[in-house]
PDB file of all heavy atoms in Angstrom:
ATOM      1  N   ASN P 345      22.521   0.062  -4.510  1.00 98.00           N
ATOM      2  CA  ASN P 345      22.714  -0.561  -5.928  1.00 98.00           C
ATOM      3  C   ASN P 345      23.000   0.487  -7.058  1.00 98.00           C
ATOM      4  O   ASN P 345      23.107   0.093  -8.069  1.00 98.00           O
ATOM      5  CB  ASN P 345      21.749  -1.550  -6.259  1.00 98.00           C
ATOM      6  CG  ASN P 345      20.268  -0.792  -6.560  1.00 98.00           C
ATOM      7  OD1 ASN P 345      20.317   0.354  -6.862  1.00 98.00           O
ATOM      8  ND2 ASN P 345      19.147  -1.632  -6.462  1.00 98.00           N
ATOM      9  N   GLY P 346      22.965   1.703  -6.598  1.00 97.00           N
ATOM     10  CA  GLY P 346      23.265   2.700  -7.650  1.00 97.00           C
ATOM     11  C   GLY P 346      22.131   3.424  -8.367  1.00 97.00           C
ATOM     12  O   GLY P 346      22.375   4.302  -9.201  1.00 97.00           O
ATOM     13  N   ALA P 347      20.906   3.043  -8.042  1.00 98.00           N
ATOM     14  CA  ALA P 347      19.767   3.493  -8.705  1.00 98.00           C
ATOM     15  C   ALA P 347      19.552   4.951  -8.282  1.00 98.00           C
ATOM     16  O   ALA P 347      19.027   5.728  -9.073  1.00 98.00           O
ATOM     17  CB  ALA P 347      18.541   2.709  -8.305  1.00 98.00           C
ATOM     18  N   PHE P 348      20.091   5.419  -7.197  1.00 98.00           N
ATOM     19  CA  PHE P 348      20.079   6.804  -6.736  1.00 98.00           C
ATOM     20  C   PHE P 348      21.412   7.463  -7.012  1.00 98.00           C
ATOM     21  O   PHE P 348      21.701   8.568  -6.552  1.00 98.00           O
ATOM     22  CB  PHE P 348      19.727   6.865  -5.141  1.00 98.00           C
ATOM     23  CG  PHE P 348      18.322   6.671  -4.891  1.00 98.00           C
ATOM     24  CD1 PHE P 348      17.928   6.551  -3.530  1.00 98.00           C
ATOM     25  CD2 PHE P 348      17.260   6.629  -5.800  1.00 98.00           C
ATOM     26  CE1 PHE P 348      16.570   6.330  -3.174  1.00 98.00           C
ATOM     27  CE2 PHE P 348      15.983   6.527  -5.489  1.00 98.00           C
ATOM     28  CZ  PHE P 348      15.623   6.309  -4.167  1.00 98.00           C
ATOM     29  N   SER P 349      22.257   6.994  -7.901  1.00 97.00           N
ATOM     30  CA  SER P 349      23.495   7.603  -8.297  1.00 97.00           C
ATOM     31  C   SER P 349      23.073   9.094  -8.855  1.00 97.00           C
ATOM     32  O   SER P 349      22.041   9.276  -9.464  1.00 97.00           O
ATOM     33  CB  SER P 349      24.190   6.969  -9.403  1.00 97.00           C
ATOM     34  OG  SER P 349      24.534   5.684  -9.141  1.00 97.00           O
ATOM     35  N   PRO P 350      23.833  10.133  -8.307  1.00 97.00           N
ATOM     36  CA  PRO P 350      25.174  10.068  -7.779  1.00 97.00           C
ATOM     37  C   PRO P 350      25.248  10.099  -6.181  1.00 97.00           C
ATOM     38  O   PRO P 350      26.224  10.336  -5.676  1.00 97.00           O
ATOM     39  CB  PRO P 350      25.801  11.384  -8.213  1.00 97.00           C
ATOM     40  CG  PRO P 350      24.535  12.279  -8.305  1.00 97.00           C
ATOM     41  CD  PRO P 350      23.346  11.468  -8.764  1.00 97.00           C
ATOM     42  N   LEU P 351      24.046   9.867  -5.585  1.00 97.00           N
ATOM     43  CA  LEU P 351      24.010   9.866  -4.067  1.00 97.00           C
ATOM     44  C   LEU P 351      24.999   8.809  -3.544  1.00 97.00           C
ATOM     45  O   LEU P 351      24.899   7.621  -4.064  1.00 97.00           O
ATOM     46  CB  LEU P 351      22.667   9.721  -3.473  1.00 97.00           C
ATOM     47  CG  LEU P 351      21.561  10.828  -3.839  1.00 97.00           C
ATOM     48  CD1 LEU P 351      20.393  10.604  -2.874  1.00 97.00           C
ATOM     49  CD2 LEU P 351      22.103  12.077  -3.827  1.00 97.00           C
ATOM     50  N   GLU P 352      25.598   9.096  -2.534  1.00 97.00           N
ATOM     51  CA  GLU P 352      26.553   8.070  -1.978  1.00 97.00           C
ATOM     52  C   GLU P 352      26.112   7.734  -0.475  1.00 97.00           C
ATOM     53  O   GLU P 352      26.788   7.159   0.396  1.00 97.00           O
ATOM     54  CB  GLU P 352      27.990   8.434  -1.942  1.00 97.00           C
ATOM     55  CG  GLU P 352      28.425   8.680  -3.428  1.00 97.00           C
ATOM     56  CD  GLU P 352      29.898   8.968  -3.498  1.00 97.00           C
ATOM     57  OE1 GLU P 352      30.492   9.484  -2.575  1.00 97.00           O
ATOM     58  OE2 GLU P 352      30.471   8.603  -4.613  1.00 97.00           O
ATOM     59  N   GLY P 353      24.899   8.322  -0.028  1.00 98.00           N
ATOM     60  CA  GLY P 353      24.363   7.959   1.301  1.00 98.00           C
ATOM     61  C   GLY P 353      23.137   8.775   1.467  1.00 98.00           C
ATOM     62  O   GLY P 353      22.593   9.369   0.619  1.00 98.00           O
ATOM     63  N   PHE P 354      22.681   8.934   2.746  1.00 98.00           N
ATOM     64  CA  PHE P 354      21.648   9.804   3.071  1.00 98.00           C
ATOM     65  C   PHE P 354      22.142  11.212   3.035  1.00 98.00           C
ATOM     66  O   PHE P 354      23.150  11.553   3.473  1.00 98.00           O
ATOM     67  CB  PHE P 354      20.985   9.311   4.431  1.00 98.00           C
ATOM     68  CG  PHE P 354      20.380   7.893   4.306  1.00 98.00           C
ATOM     69  CD1 PHE P 354      20.933   6.866   4.876  1.00 98.00           C
ATOM     70  CD2 PHE P 354      19.032   7.844   3.766  1.00 98.00           C
ATOM     71  CE1 PHE P 354      20.441   5.555   4.702  1.00 98.00           C
ATOM     72  CE2 PHE P 354      18.389   6.673   3.655  1.00 98.00           C
ATOM     73  CZ  PHE P 354      19.069   5.457   4.261  1.00 98.00           C
ATOM     74  N   LEU P 355      21.169  12.057   2.556  1.00 98.00           N
ATOM     75  CA  LEU P 355      21.617  13.486   2.440  1.00 98.00           C
ATOM     76  C   LEU P 355      22.142  14.105   3.628  1.00 98.00           C
ATOM     77  O   LEU P 355      21.468  13.957   4.786  1.00 98.00           O
ATOM     78  CB  LEU P 355      20.309  14.394   1.901  1.00 98.00           C
ATOM     79  CG  LEU P 355      19.831  14.043   0.481  1.00 98.00           C
ATOM     80  CD1 LEU P 355      18.787  15.048   0.168  1.00 98.00           C
ATOM     81  CD2 LEU P 355      20.867  13.969  -0.543  1.00 98.00           C
ATOM     82  N   ALA P 356      23.229  14.813   3.459  1.00 98.00           N
ATOM     83  CA  ALA P 356      23.705  15.740   4.547  1.00 98.00           C
ATOM     84  C   ALA P 356      23.033  16.919   4.509  1.00 98.00           C
ATOM     85  O   ALA P 356      22.256  17.254   3.718  1.00 98.00           O
ATOM     86  CB  ALA P 356      25.243  15.990   4.322  1.00 98.00           C
ATOM     87  N   ARG P 357      22.970  17.637   5.659  1.00 98.00           N
ATOM     88  CA  ARG P 357      22.152  18.789   5.954  1.00 98.00           C
ATOM     89  C   ARG P 357      22.181  19.847   4.820  1.00 98.00           C
ATOM     90  O   ARG P 357      21.136  20.288   4.476  1.00 98.00           O
ATOM     91  CB  ARG P 357      22.513  19.467   7.295  1.00 98.00           C
ATOM     92  CG  ARG P 357      21.411  20.481   7.560  1.00 98.00           C
ATOM     93  CD  ARG P 357      21.575  21.014   8.992  1.00 98.00           C
ATOM     94  NE  ARG P 357      20.487  21.951   9.228  1.00 98.00           N
ATOM     95  CZ  ARG P 357      20.089  22.436  10.355  1.00 98.00           C
ATOM     96  NH1 ARG P 357      20.862  22.209  11.354  1.00 98.00           N
ATOM     97  NH2 ARG P 357      19.103  23.286  10.507  1.00 98.00           N
ATOM     98  N   ASP P 358      23.444  20.193   4.301  1.00 98.00           N
ATOM     99  CA  ASP P 358      23.361  21.318   3.350  1.00 98.00           C
ATOM    100  C   ASP P 358      22.909  20.710   2.015  1.00 98.00           C
ATOM    101  O   ASP P 358      22.166  21.511   1.307  1.00 98.00           O
ATOM    102  CB  ASP P 358      24.797  21.930   3.139  1.00 98.00           C
ATOM    103  CG  ASP P 358      25.909  20.872   3.183  1.00 98.00           C
ATOM    104  OD1 ASP P 358      25.579  19.642   3.124  1.00 98.00           O
ATOM    105  OD2 ASP P 358      27.084  21.261   2.969  1.00 98.00           O
ATOM    106  N   ASP P 359      23.103  19.487   1.696  1.00 98.00           N
ATOM    107  CA  ASP P 359      22.474  18.960   0.446  1.00 98.00           C
ATOM    108  C   ASP P 359      20.984  18.936   0.547  1.00 98.00           C
ATOM    109  O   ASP P 359      20.155  19.323  -0.293  1.00 98.00           O
ATOM    110  CB  ASP P 359      22.963  17.519   0.279  1.00 98.00           C
ATOM    111  CG  ASP P 359      24.226  17.452  -0.404  1.00 98.00           C
ATOM    112  OD1 ASP P 359      24.634  18.295  -1.290  1.00 98.00           O
ATOM    113  OD2 ASP P 359      25.045  16.518  -0.096  1.00 98.00           O
ATOM    114  N   TYR P 360      20.578  18.500   1.805  1.00 98.00           N
ATOM    115  CA  TYR P 360      19.071  18.500   2.065  1.00 98.00           C
ATOM    116  C   TYR P 360      18.345  19.890   1.860  1.00 98.00           C
ATOM    117  O   TYR P 360      17.374  19.946   1.174  1.00 98.00           O
ATOM    118  CB  TYR P 360      18.843  18.024   3.402  1.00 98.00           C
ATOM    119  CG  TYR P 360      17.461  18.184   4.109  1.00 98.00           C
ATOM    120  CD1 TYR P 360      16.314  17.418   3.698  1.00 98.00           C
ATOM    121  CD2 TYR P 360      17.238  19.212   5.029  1.00 98.00           C
ATOM    122  CE1 TYR P 360      15.114  17.706   4.190  1.00 98.00           C
ATOM    123  CE2 TYR P 360      16.051  19.486   5.555  1.00 98.00           C
ATOM    124  CZ  TYR P 360      15.016  18.709   5.201  1.00 98.00           C
ATOM    125  OH  TYR P 360      13.767  18.964   5.681  1.00 98.00           O
ATOM    126  N   GLU P 361      18.957  20.916   2.417  1.00 98.00           N
ATOM    127  CA  GLU P 361      18.400  22.244   2.359  1.00 98.00           C
ATOM    128  C   GLU P 361      18.354  22.661   0.903  1.00 98.00           C
ATOM    129  O   GLU P 361      17.392  23.237   0.411  1.00 98.00           O
ATOM    130  CB  GLU P 361      19.230  23.296   3.153  1.00 98.00           C
ATOM    131  CG  GLU P 361      19.227  23.031   4.698  1.00 98.00           C
ATOM    132  CD  GLU P 361      17.877  23.150   5.357  1.00 98.00           C
ATOM    133  OE1 GLU P 361      16.987  23.686   4.633  1.00 98.00           O
ATOM    134  OE2 GLU P 361      17.763  22.742   6.513  1.00 98.00           O
ATOM    135  N   ARG P 362      19.478  22.396   0.150  1.00 98.00           N
ATOM    136  CA  ARG P 362      19.402  22.798  -1.279  1.00 98.00           C
ATOM    137  C   ARG P 362      18.468  21.942  -2.122  1.00 98.00           C
ATOM    138  O   ARG P 362      17.809  22.467  -3.022  1.00 98.00           O
ATOM    139  CB  ARG P 362      20.788  22.755  -1.881  1.00 98.00           C
ATOM    140  CG  ARG P 362      20.889  23.507  -3.100  1.00 98.00           C
ATOM    141  CD  ARG P 362      22.278  24.048  -3.430  1.00 98.00           C
ATOM    142  NE  ARG P 362      22.219  24.710  -4.761  1.00 98.00           N
ATOM    143  CZ  ARG P 362      23.134  24.742  -5.660  1.00 98.00           C
ATOM    144  NH1 ARG P 362      24.287  24.332  -5.416  1.00 98.00           N
ATOM    145  NH2 ARG P 362      22.915  25.422  -6.787  1.00 98.00           N
ATOM    146  N   VAL P 363      18.313  20.669  -1.672  1.00 98.00           N
ATOM    147  CA  VAL P 363      17.252  19.891  -2.499  1.00 98.00           C
ATOM    148  C   VAL P 363      15.900  20.372  -2.297  1.00 98.00           C
ATOM    149  O   VAL P 363      15.144  20.597  -3.246  1.00 98.00           O
ATOM    150  CB  VAL P 363      17.440  18.384  -2.137  1.00 98.00           C
ATOM    151  CG1 VAL P 363      16.207  17.596  -2.510  1.00 98.00           C
ATOM    152  CG2 VAL P 363      18.760  17.673  -2.713  1.00 98.00           C
TER     153      VAL P 363
END
Side-chain angles (χ1 to χ4, degrees):
N345 73 17
F348 283 169
S349 300
L351 301 194
E352 294 185 339
F354 290 101
L355 293 186
R357 185 170 188 173
D358 47 0
D359 278 324
Y360 162 77
E361 296 294 347
R362 196 156 175 209
V363 165

